[in-house]
Amino acid sequence: MCAEKSEVLQGTLDMMILKTLHALGPLHGFGIARRIEQVSEDVLTLNEGTVYTSLLRLQQQGWIESEWGASENNRRARFYSITRQGRKQLTVETENWERISGVIGRVLRMEPEK
Amino acid sequence: MTAGLYRLISRIRGLFGRKEADAEFGLETEAHLQLLTERFMQRGLNERDAYFAARRQFGNTTLLRQSHRESRMLFSFPNLIQELRYSARMLFKSPGFSVIAALTLALGIGSTAAVFSLIQGVLLTPPPYQEPRQLMLLPSARTDGKKMDSPRGWPAQQWMEWSEKARSFQGIAAYQWTFNFLIRNDGSQSMQGMFVSRDYFRLLGLKTVLGRGFDDSDFGQGGHVKSILIGYEFWQRALGGDKEIVGKTVRISRWDSSPVVIGVMEPGVRFLPSPGNAKEPNYDVNATVDVWAPADPDPKTLKNPGWDVVGRLREGASPQRGQQELAALAAREASAEKDFEGFSPKLESLMDEMNQGARRILLPLLGASALVLLIACGNAAALLLVRGLQRQQEYAVRIAMGIGRMGLLRQVFTESLILAILGGASGVVLAILAVRLFKVIAAHAVPRLDGLTLGWGVLGWGVGLAIFAAFLAGAIPALRAYRLNPMDVLKDAGPKGTAGIGERRLLSSVTMLQTALTLALLVGAGLLIRTMVKIAQVPSGYSMSRILTMSVTEVQSRDQWMPFHRQALERVAAIPGVQYAAFAWGVPLTGNNWPVAIDIEGQPPPSRESDKIALPLRAATPDYFKLMGMELIDGREFRETDDGKAPDVAIVNEAFTRRFFPNRNAVGRKLWFGSRDKPGIQIVGEIANGRTDDLTQEPIPEVYFPLWQAQAFSKHLVVRTAADPRTVVPAVERALKSVDPTAAIEGVKTLEQIRDDSLASRTFAMHLLTGFSLVGSLLTLVGIYGVISLSVASRRRELAIRSAVGAQQDDIRRLIFTEGFRLIAGGVLAGIVLAVIVSRVLRSFLFGVQPDDPMTFLLVAAMFVGVGLLACWAPVRRAGKVNPLEALR
């Protein structure tokens, strides 16, 4: 079915969230969703709820942590921040991603031989 | 890897505090939705539209909460309970199926758990010594690698040097087996014990429960034992657990001093092997020790090889290093002293040696019970599979409704798990009963069985095996359900009790496998049964029936010996119903093999100690050979007058003559103990061979002496009666007590009982294997019946068409019959291959039969094919009755 496709997406979402938290510091789920929306320029549309699934998974792996705080409009919100392990993981994943996307890019750019 | 671990931990943690996490998550999503709504409102939507837009963008909150909850926890608890309840309800709805499946599993789980309990109790429970793995026995072996005629101990001079010089050992201690009687006015009590050297208890790490252990003051008493320790079990059994025992004096036969009991040892302490005494009739290495006494090497007999030696390896020292070191020491000692020549110590791990006997019998039985478990799992799997077929509709609907493949898989496994737990529970009950039974019937077959206590272990094995069985039995049905295509099933409307060709093939191969396993069991049982038959046919050389034996010992002084035995024989012989009575040392099959170095006329004088001839010696009163039916071939029998005043005489057996005087007469030749300068012992008779040591071994050379000359201390009273020998027991005991009330009378058994005991491990293995193979056969036959029945049910339409176009009933029957025959024959062939491989583990139990005995294989295979075809009979008949009209419906 579509198991493989969503898995890739899941992993990608995880990485995007990690990167967001790494770049912007502690954020709540809504903030993360906004940031991804902004950066992806509507190429990537997602059910924002899935952000929370990602967040839970990242937290279980010890790559992010969370605490309750007050949001901009003074509501209670849960703020997520990246951990040291998370940073390490991000470096690893970024390298991986760049390597693979570089390869794929090269393959896709190949001209037919004349 | 670590991330995975983190996840697991947090998921386990997630099992607790579920409510708070749910509430927090609710708050979080709510806040998110609200912010999103506000955002849409800022863009100009009204509140209502903004809310719905926010909901749309956020996604399904209920689904999210559900998946959040599931991934937060290791497994979903509420779901699990629901599934358990659902499965239980489904099983309860079809009680027939459930009971059969659970009982099937119970048989497999019960038999395996029972054997596991034996293994745990006998093999895996360590002896009460500290760090028993470090303990090494040091028996002696010939340096030229030849087999020793009889085991030999070590001289004190040698082991004392080892304990001083061997670097790879923490210490070395020596011991001797001893046998005596606790003298009591109302019948004395035998005691098996050990003389131990100074370091023994420290080296083994044993503690007393009462009183103290030996210290230096107990040693160095110059042969007079002043203090003893008694074993916990002996204390309970013979002394009634007397709390005041410490400090009391006891009288012990043959000891000139009356020692004081200084302590009671902790429970469960058994003997270390004394190979040199292994052939003493009273020697039982697996018994608990009754008594310990301190012993110092006597400076006068430092060169006598009478000690058994045990050492404890140093932390980290390998047995090989210990072996090399001791071998080097022994070689140096041998070069300095002629008596020590030709022997070298051979390290053996105590644990290995201890478990040898039990492992020999228990491991094959474990294998057999595992086969039964596999067969049972096969049946349960087939049952579950067929049930799964009947429920395809339900599964399809559930998939269509969104249960998810994993959910369905869980459902199927939950059902098989419940069945297996039910089976496991009844299996544990079965196992407990079985172990109780084993303790009664297998006391002589499995060493140290008396120490076996049924603990929680059996329950643990039961549950563990049940879970194992659940996965094994559930795997095939679960996979089937997993790969189910709901569309196909839903299109084929209506429930059905049939199976497609794929399922039937799967079931057939399961049944074939079962048949193969069953055949292996049957072959094992068959081989053992044939062994027992062969043993029963062996000419023993003596008669077994109507002979009563008991060990009778006069425990008073040496002077009392002659009068007691003469009088006792007179009185016992006078009892009505007694035909003959005799005393004998060396009654057949009692493990009596008292080996003594002997010098025989015509044999070259031994140049080295290790070349000396050592033979089992026996002694008997004159009527013994007549009583036992052992035929005199040459010369004369013993006479009443062959006593201390007459010249020494002996009777040998045929095997003796054949070995030492081939083609000549033994009668008239001479034997000597020690020096040939003495007058020697004249051979006056020769008797026919008898398998007195072991029914499965060729007769060995034997020498008999007149008991009145040899005056053996331990011996049996042997009585031949006109009728059932057990009826005279009270009269015989009364007669003996009337001569001396303190005499010890123990081990009252008929010779047939002694024979059965000597074959106990074979008999036990045979009974168990026969039982296992019957259970396995029954299960497999049910399996064959089930598969063929299912096949007939599934092929009804096909069969109807066949008969509509002209097939006769016979053709249809033949069709199904062939299917059954193929199934059975395939299984039997595979089983023969399997049996050839596994029957080898039984080799040490077999006698007169090879593990690949073609007779057994053929018989068993033919029998099973026959019975298997019987199981096909009912479905075949059913197939013949299929109405051709069914094809039209």
Side-chain angles (χ1 to χ4, degrees):
Chain A
M1 292 204 287
C2 55
E4 280 125 315
K5 208 161 132 201
S6 72
E7 221 164 278
V8 171
L9 268 177
Q10 260 180 15
T12 324
L13 184 59
D14 287 4
M15 210 177 97
M16 281 159 58
I17 291 174
L18 265 189
K19 181 64 194 173
T20 308
L21 291 177
H22 178 62
L24 302 183
L27 276 179
H28 45 62
F30 181 74
I32 295 170
R34 292 291 70 70
R35 173 67 180 175
I36 291 173
E37 188 184 51
Q38 186 190 345
V39 172
S40 71
E41 293 166 345
D42 292 339
V43 174
L44 208 76
T45 53
L46 67 147
N47 277 341
E48 285 177 25
T50 46
V51 168
Y52 289 95
T53 316
S54 246
L55 285 170
L56 178 65
R57 195 160 46 233
L58 289 169
Q59 205 169 3
Q60 282 176 342
Q61 272 152 336
W63 295 335
I64 61 169
E65 54 195 12
S66 71
E67 63 180 346
W68 286 91
S71 71
E72 302 84 346
N73 50 7
N74 265 333
R75 285 212 183 80
R76 255 164 61 77
R78 200 199 273 255
F79 281 83
Y80 296 88
S81 53
I82 190 164
T83 60
R84 213 161 51 82
Q85 274 180 325
R87 269 183 249 282
K88 254 193 270 173
Q89 183 63 21
L90 184 60
T91 327
V92 173
E93 297 248 341
T94 311
E95 278 168 16
N96 266 342
W97 179 263
E98 275 166 4
R99 209 174 52 234
I100 290 168
S101 64
V103 170
I104 293 174
R106 273 203 304 283
V107 169
L108 291 181
R109 273 196 304 276
M110 274 196 302
E111 299 281 321
E113 285 180 39
K114 282 164 192 161
Chain B
M1 181 66 222
T2 43
L5 196 68
Y6 261 101
R7 267 194 99 169
L8 185 69
I9 293 170
S10 67
R11 277 174 157 226
I12 291 170
R13 213 184 310 153
L15 286 172
F16 313 98
R18 187 163 66 86
K19 282 236 172 75
E20 292 87 82
D22 263 357
E24 282 191 358
F25 184 64
L27 275 177
E28 212 176 350
T29 46
E30 221 166 276
H32 191 122
L33 273 172
Q34 213 154 8
L35 286 167
L36 212 53
T37 312
E38 279 166 20
R39 213 169 105 91
F40 280 117
M41 283 167 73
Q42 278 166 13
R43 289 187 184 170
L45 290 170
N46 68 33
E47 197 179 332
R48 204 182 128 82
D49 288 349
Y51 174 71
F52 282 116
R55 288 292 297 257
R56 259 196 309 280
Q57 184 152 345
F58 192 81
N60 186 339
T61 46
T62 319
L63 209 60
L64 183 66
R65 194 176 309 139
Q66 178 71 23
S67 82
H68 215 250
R69 195 185 284 163
E70 272 180 19
S71 57
R72 209 163 47 218
M73 291 183 266
L74 192 59
F75 46 84
S76 159
F77 215 56
N79 279 2
L80 187 78
I81 289 179
Q82 197 190 354
E83 260 160 30
L84 278 176
R85 272 177 46 193
Y86 179 76
S87 303
R89 220 164 45 220
M90 288 312 284
L91 292 174
F92 197 70
K93 264 191 172 170
S94 41
F97 159 80
S98 310
V99 167
I100 290 177
L103 273 184
T104 302
L105 286 173
L107 286 173
I109 293 171
S111 57
T112 315
V115 178
F116 261 134
S117 307
L118 288 191
I119 287 187
Q120 189 184 24
V122 176
L123 286 182
L124 302 181
T125 308
Y129 312 122
Q130 263 171 25
E131 302 285 333
R133 304 219 158 267
Q134 293 176 345
L135 292 174
M136 292 285 146
L137 300 170
L138 309 175
S140 61
R142 286 171 66 130
T143 43
D144 57 12
K146 280 193 206 146
K147 210 173 147 281
M148 304 225 280
D149 271 346
S150 58
R152 173 186 181 273
W154 291 105
Q157 193 177 321
Q158 283 190 284
W159 66 257
M160 279 159 65
E161 191 181 353
W162 301 345
S163 88
E164 233 170 77
K165 293 187 178 156
R167 289 291 123 239
S168 41
F169 286 87
Q170 293 179 35
I172 282 174
Y175 56 94
Q176 289 170 338
W177 180 82
T178 176
F179 180 78
N180 251 317
F181 290 86
L182 178 71
I183 298 179
R184 294 205 300 204
N185 292 334
D186 55 343
S188 299
Q189 181 108 30
S190 64
M191 292 194 297
Q192 253 198 106
M194 291 171 102
F195 280 109
V196 296
S197 72
R198 237 171 251 253
D199 290 336
Y200 188 83
F201 286 114
R202 198 178 43 73
L203 192 78
L204 265 63
L206 291 173
K207 289 179 293 292
T208 54
V209 289
L210 216 65
R212 62 172 177 89
F214 296 135
D215 58 31
D216 281 350
S217 68
D218 297 305
F219 290 87
Q221 299 289 338
H224 302 286
V225 180
K226 293 272 162 47
S227 44
I228 56 167
L229 280 171
I230 55 173
Y232 185 88
E233 289 77 11
F234 184 74
W235 177 50
Q236 292 291 333
R237 185 179 73 228
L239 302 164
D242 178 8
K243 290 258 191 308
E244 309 291 313
I245 189 73
V246 172
K248 280 190 187 165
T249 307
V250 291
R251 277 180 66 211
I252 292 176
S253 60
R254 297 192 287 183
W255 285 10
D256 45 14
S257 54
S258 291
V260 177
V261 176
I262 61 162
V264 177
M265 188 52 73
E266 60 188 304
V269 184
R270 294 169 196 266
F271 282 90
L272 291 189
S274 288
N277 294 304
K279 289 296 184 178
E280 291 267 0
N282 301 305
Y283 175 85
D284 178 7
V285 70
N286 294 308
T288 51
V289 181
D290 297 328
V291 60
W292 289 267
D296 271 323
D298 183 347
K300 281 174 286 185
T301 58
L302 283 181
K303 291 185 176 125
N304 283 7
W307 295 87
D308 296 299
V309 184
V310 58
R312 182 184 285 283
L313 282 175
R314 224 172 260 293
E315 201 78 51
S318 70
Q320 289 77 10
R321 226 184 84 203
Q323 169 79 55
Q324 282 163 6
E325 200 178 0
L326 288 186
L329 280 171
R332 208 167 56 218
E333 287 158 355
S335 66
E337 170 63 58
K338 195 166 168 300
D339 283 358
F340 300 167
E341 234 176 275
F343 298 104
S344 180
K346 187 170 157 291
L347 257 70
E348 264 172 23
S349 149
L350 171 67
M351 296 288 278
D352 288 353
E353 164 69 28
M354 250 182 58
N355 286 339
Q356 222 172 21
R359 189 175 296 161
R360 193 183 78 119
I361 180 160
L362 288 181
L363 293 189
L365 291 182
L366 178 66
S369 66
L371 292 187
V372 175
L373 181 62
L374 282 179
I375 294 169
C377 283
N379 264 20
L383 277 169
L384 282 168
L385 190 64
V386 171
R387 229 171 95 81
L389 290 173
Q390 290 161 358
R391 284 170 59 188
Q392 276 191 356
Q393 288 282 317
E394 177 206 329
Y395 290 158
V397 170
R398 287 169 141 256
I399 293 174
M401 301 284 284
I403 187 177
R405 305 280 166 159
M406 283 313 280
L408 193 59
L409 210 64
R410 240 185 351 231
Q411 180 73 58
V412 174
F413 268 124
T414 312
E415 276 195 41
S416 73
L417 191 66
I418 292 183
L419 278 181
I421 296 282
L422 287 178
S426 359
V428 166
V429 176
L430 268 181
I432 290 171
L433 295 177
V435 171
R436 289 236 174 107
L437 182 72
F438 292 167
K439 282 189 83 161
V440 178
I441 63 169
H444 294 274
V446 182
R448 301 192 300 278
L449 197 61
D450 57 325
L452 174 70
T453 47
L454 268 181
W456 290 102
V458 60
L459 197 64
W461 289 120
V463 171
L465 288 169
I467 291 172
F468 172 75
F471 276 93
L472 214 58
I476 296 175
L479 273 177
R480 271 267 329 154
Y482 187 71
R483 288 175 18 197
L484 189 72
N485 185 348
M487 286 300 284
D488 292 350
V489 177
L490 290 176
K491 271 189 284 185
D492 260 7
K496 50 177 200 171
T498 62
I501 185 83
E503 283 90 41
R504 294 210 314 268
R505 281 223 181 104
L506 192 64
L507 272 176
S508 301
S509 36
V510 169
T511 309
M512 230 182 250
L513 193 72
Q514 285 179 298
T515 309
L517 298 177
T518 307
L519 204 82
L521 280 176
L522 281 170
V523 165
L527 287 172
L528 285 172
I529 290 174
R530 272 181 64 93
T531 293
M532 295 312 284
V533 171
K534 291 262 179 186
I535 291 179
Q537 287 166 349
V538 155
S540 64
Y542 43 89
S543 67
M544 299 265 190
S545 56
R546 292 185 287 118
I547 292 179
L548 183 73
T549 73
M550 60 190 80
S551 80
V552 173
T553 314
E554 157 61 33
V555 294
Q556 298 294 342
S557 63
R558 227 40 230 152
D559 317 334
Q560 292 293 313
W561 194 91
M562 251 341 228
F564 171 82
H565 289 92
R566 294 249 193 211
Q567 249 180 28
L569 267 196
E570 269 168 35
R571 289 194 195 173
V572 170
I575 294 171
V578 171
Q579 290 178 335
Y580 295 108
F583 280 111
W585 162 253
V587 170
L589 311 179
T590 50
N592 212 329
N593 215 346
W594 184 36
V596 172
I598 197 167
D599 201 359
I600 303 167
E601 187 180 327
Q603 297 293 310
S607 53
R608 282 190 308 180
E609 187 68 24
S610 56
D611 289 336
K612 281 189 180 166
I613 298 165
L615 290 180
L617 305 187
R618 313 202 184 296
T621 54
D623 282 343
Y624 179 70
F625 299 116
K626 240 184 310 202
L627 187 157
M628 296 292 292
M630 295 166 106
E631 197 192 340
L632 187 76
I633 294 177
D634 192 13
R636 65 166 174 94
E637 290 191 19
F638 292 136
R639 300 178 186 134
E640 284 299 327
T641 49
D642 291 326
D643 58 13
K645 282 168 256 159
D648 289 345
V649 293
I651 292 179
V652 298
N653 69 350
E654 256 180 293
F656 180 97
T657 312
R658 203 166 300 148
R659 171 151 162 206
F660 298 108
F661 303 102
N663 308 320
R664 281 175 294 160
N665 283 340
V667 174
R669 313 276 175 167
K670 286 201 157 183
L671 308 169
W672 295 270
F673 290 123
S675 159
R676 289 201 183 193
D677 307 334
K678 288 185 201 156
I681 304 155
Q682 174 113 38
I683 299 175
V684 294
E686 181 183 330
I687 52 157
N689 278 337
R691 299 192 174 201
T692 53
D693 188 37
D694 183 339
L695 282 176
T696 63
Q697 302 290 321
E698 287 297 316
I700 48 169
E702 291 176 317
V703 184
Y704 287 87
F705 296 101
L707 191 77
W708 303 141
Q709 283 175 356
Q711 303 213 343
F713 176 68
S714 304
K715 80 215 76 65
H716 284 90
L717 171 68
V718 198
V719 175
R720 178 171 199 116
T721 54
D724 182 359
R726 269 163 297 217
T727 54
V728 300
V729 173
V732 171
E733 281 182 346
R734 257 197 319 275
L736 292 169
K737 296 252 180 211
S738 72
V739 184
D740 181 354
T742 67
I745 305 165
E746 292 178 328
V748 181
K749 281 179 185 174
T750 63
L751 195 56
E752 275 159 345
Q753 274 173 311
I754 290 178
R755 172 189 181 280
D756 292 347
D757 289 351
S758 83
L759 300 173
S761 67
R762 282 192 178 89
T763 319
F764 181 57
M766 180 192 76
H767 283 154
L768 224 55
L769 220 56
T770 310
F772 283 167
S773 54
L774 286 182
V775 170
S777 304
L778 191 71
L779 291 177
T780 305
L781 291 177
V782 170
I784 293 173
Y785 170 81
V787 169
I788 302 298
S789 297
L790 181 73
S791 173
V792 170
S794 313
R795 293 171 70 180
R796 275 192 98 79
R797 180 170 278 266
E798 175 207 328
L799 297 178
I801 292 173
R802 278 173 190 268
S803 72
V805 298
Q808 296 300 306
Q809 278 205 357
D810 274 351
D811 299 328
I812 303 257
R813 284 203 197 108
R814 200 171 305 129
L815 188 74
I816 301 295
F817 201 70
T818 312
E819 186 182 340
F821 181 75
R822 273 212 199 111
L823 174 75
I824 297 163
V828 165
L829 283 182
I832 286 177
V833 175
L834 183 70
V836 168
I837 299 166
V838 300
S839 62
R840 261 174 244 175
V841 299
L842 290 176
R843 189 179 284 275
S844 70
F845 290 97
L846 299 184
F847 170 74
V849 183
Q850 287 304 308
D852 51 0
D853 180 50
M855 215 9 210
T856 310
F857 276 71
L858 222 71
L859 264 175
V860 166
M863 203 178 72
F864 193 82
V865 170
V867 182
L869 289 179
L870 272 184
C872 300
W873 186 65
V876 164
R877 252 175 58 107
R878 226 176 289 144
K881 286 194 184 143
V882 170
N883 188 344
L885 278 178
E886 272 185 50
L888 304 175
R889 282 191 206 125

